[in-house]
Every structure is written in C-alpha cells, then in structure tokens.
Amino acid sequence: MILADTSVWIEFFRGKNNRLIQKFRSLLDDDQIALTSPVRIEILSGTPKNEVLRIGRLLAALPIFYPEKTTWSLIEKWVEEGKEHGDNFGVVDLLIAGISQENNLALWSLDSDFGRMKKLGWVNLFAPQA
C-alpha cells in the first residue's frame, strides 16, 4: 500500500500530469492508495466549499491511517536528529512520514522535504515507473 502525499493529490486533481494521473488511477483501481489523517485534512482545507462533501465522500472510501502516541514520540526524536544534520521539517510532513514509517508503507510525494527525510533513513519513497 502507498500513502499519497497532498502534493500528489493536488497534481491528480489538477489533471495536467497525464503520467501521474494514469499511475494514480491504476493504484486507486488496485486499492493500493491510502491516506493519512493530515493529508485528508489538507485536501479538504484546499477544496472549494461546493466540493467539500463530494471530495470528502471520495476520500472516505480509502484506508486512512492516524498518528498514534508512538508517532509523536518518533517525530520528536526526528526533530532532534534533523537538527543534528542541519534540517528542519514541518509538523505535518513529520506526521505523514512518521505514519508511513510506523505502518511500513511507501510514501509517494512530490515534496523535496521527503527526499531529505529519505536520506536520513526515515521514509521509504515510492517511485512510480516511467
């Protein structure tokens, strides 16, 4: 299963990146896409008012992963490790990465912050085949 970050959802909804759309649809059809609660909230927050209910129903069909108490402990440790390497990350990105790591799920993102997290050994990034 693959956790799709908000950046991937945005590209999917924009409908301009045909390769991403095709791969995303294929993974959706194969029940391989999951959400984290922070991504769900980010998507709904950026959705126009007249689309929130429809998009919310669509997202409800997907498996959703939530942060646990252990997730918060993990990301607190990562904040310290990141600072040792001269890196800082946003709370939402840390939550997404922590949920991904704790559930042994690949993370699909277009956000370079997750690439930096991968270098630190925190996430397994999904790289769609060309």
Side-chain angles (χ1 to χ4, degrees), residues 42-70:
E42 283 186 326
I43 293 168
L44 293 175
S45 293
T47 299
K49 182 180 177 180
N50 62 333
E51 292 287 315
V52 170
L53 289 176
R54 183 179 73 83
I55 297 297
R57 283 193 297 269
L58 290 170
L59 298 176
L62 300 171
I64 187 163
F65 291 84
Y66 296 89
E68 303 286 339
K69 184 176 181 184
T70 56

Side-chain angles (χ1 to χ4, degrees), residues 50 75 90 101:
N50 62 333
I75 66 173
Q101 200 243 32

Side-chain angles (χ1 to χ4, degrees), residues 8-120:
V8 174
W9 283 98
I10 289 169
E11 285 301 309
F12 176 72
F13 287 134
R14 282 186 182 153
K16 294 180 182 176
N17 183 334
N18 288 333
R19 278 201 294 194
L20 181 142
I21 291 166
Q22 288 174 349
K23 184 62 177 177
F24 196 81
R25 280 191 179 144
S26 173
L27 290 168
L28 280 170
D29 289 345
D30 292 341
D31 296 324
Q32 291 299 306
I33 296 291
L35 279 174
T36 62
S37 53
V39 169
R40 178 181 168 83
I41 297 303
E42 283 186 326
I43 293 168
L44 293 175
S45 293
T47 299
K49 182 180 177 180
N50 62 333
E51 292 287 315
V52 170
L53 289 176
R54 183 179 73 83
I55 297 297
R57 283 193 297 269
L58 290 170
L59 298 176
L62 300 171
I64 187 163
F65 291 84
Y66 296 89
E68 303 286 339
K69 184 176 181 184
T70 56
T71 313
W72 293 101
S73 296
L74 175 63
I75 66 173
E76 187 172 329
K77 181 182 116 198
W78 283 353
V79 166
E80 293 172 16
E81 285 180 25
K83 288 187 181 297
E84 289 174 10
H85 290 90
D87 274 316
N88 280 312
F89 301 98
V91 173
V92 172
D93 287 350
L94 286 165
L95 278 171
I96 293 165
I99 292 166
S100 173
Q101 200 243 32
E102 286 187 323
N103 291 282
N104 198 30
L105 302 169
L107 176 62
W108 187 4
S109 179
L110 306 176
D111 181 339
S112 63
D113 284 351
F114 292 108
R116 293 186 359 244
M117 288 181 190
K118 180 182 179 173
K119 288 179 183 176
L120 294 170

